[in-house]
């Protein structure tokens, strides 16, 4: 298996532009998570899905952020409009529901977003 | 709410030295998970602990689930340069994993 695939690996955009981050989870995994990592706040959970349905979006910072999972093999995290404080590394992770809680998280390599 | 304290927040050691990192929680954990994040990558699970008092080893790594179920430690023996990264201790009691800042380890060759 190719693991969790995120694209792009790096994104540089200007303030005010729309940014879309993409994630392909491991085939068969039914949980998908989006995290954001900064020096100040560490690795924060933004939102997670189960069977393509958003379960908990309490970590989404504000209305500028939205996430979708149209099918089991694809998810997007969109920021519109982007701001410099959104600069961070965004990670996607997936796991199987019947594994031990937390045991089987597989993370992607992340997308480093820079908003100038 | 639950408070998790991971200490120290960063460490600088020489290659070959042993290192110990500790986590304490304000509430009881049912599962402790230790993850490592290497530079430029996402976190990877190192060790999972399920029972109070459990001591688990994985090569040069040793982790223990505290008797009180409110603490855990991770030891790395004879450190090598590839041990650099951020180490996270987290509760594995649910599908929603909360990571925090972790502990940044630097190993000087």
């Amino acid at each position: 298996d190719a693991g969790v695939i995120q694209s792009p690996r790096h994104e540089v955009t200007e303030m005010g532009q729309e940014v879309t981050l993409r994630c392909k989870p491991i085939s068969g995994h039914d949980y998908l998570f989006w995290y954001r990592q900064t020096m100040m706040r560490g690795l924060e959970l933004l939102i997670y899905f189960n069977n393509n349905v958003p379960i908990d979006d309490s970590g989404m910072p504000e209305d500028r952020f939205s996430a979708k999972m149209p099918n089991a093999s694809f998810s997007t995290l969109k920021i519109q409009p982007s701001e410099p404080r959104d600069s961070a590394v965004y990670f996607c992770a997936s796991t199987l529901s019947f594994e031990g809680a937390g045991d089987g998280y597989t993370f992607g390599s992340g997308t480093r977003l820079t908003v100038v | 709410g639950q408070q998790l304290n991971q200490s120290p927040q960063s460490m600088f050691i020489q290659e070959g030295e042993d290192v110990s990192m500790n986590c304490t929680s304000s509430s009881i954990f049912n599962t402790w998970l230790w993850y490592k994040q290497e530079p430029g990558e996402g976190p990877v699970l190192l060790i999972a602990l399920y029972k109070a008092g459990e001591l688990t080893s994985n090569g040069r790594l040793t982790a223990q689930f505290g008797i009180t179920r409110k603490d855990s430690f991770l030891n790395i023996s004879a450190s090598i340069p590839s041990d650099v990264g951020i180490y996270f201790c987290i509760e594995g009691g649910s599908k929603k994993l909360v990571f925090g800042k972790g502990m940044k380890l630097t190993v000087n060759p």
Side-chain angles (χ1 to χ4, degrees), chain A residues 1-3 6 12 18 25-26 33 35 40 46 69 73 79 92:
Chain A
D1 200 314
Q6 291 187 246
V12 180
E18 176 180 297
I26 289 177
F33 306 81
Y35 285 85
M40 289 294 294
L46 300 178
M69 194 164 184
S73 59
I79 308 172
C92 176

Side-chain angles (χ1 to χ4, degrees), chain A residues 35 37 40 56 103 105, chain B residues 37 50 95-97 101:
Chain A
Y35 285 85
Q37 187 172 34
M40 289 294 294
D56 184 347
D103 288 356
Y105 267 49
Chain B
Q37 182 182 21
Y50 300 100
K95 279 299 176 186
K96 178 179 173 179
L97 298 187
K101 291 186 178 181

Side-chain angles (χ1 to χ4, degrees), chain A residues 9 31 33 35 37 39-43 45 48 56 58 91 95-97 99-105 107-109, chain B residues 31 33 35 37 40-45 48 50 86 88 90-102 104:
Chain A
R9 281 300 306 263
Y31 279 84
F33 306 81
Y35 285 85
Q37 187 172 34
M39 290 284 289
M40 289 294 294
R41 301 175 69 89
L43 189 59
L45 177 64
Y48 76 95
D56 184 347
S58 59
F91 287 99
T95 190
L96 274 169
S97 61
E99 294 190 22
D103 288 356
Y105 267 49
F107 279 80
S109 296
Chain B
T31 305
L33 304 176
Y35 275 76
Q37 182 182 21
E41 297 298 329
V44 174
L45 180 67
Y50 300 100
I86 302 174
F88 297 93
I90 56 179
E91 180 180 18
S94 72
K95 279 299 176 186
K96 178 179 173 179
L97 298 187
V98 179
F99 280 81
K101 291 186 178 181
K104 187 174 182 180

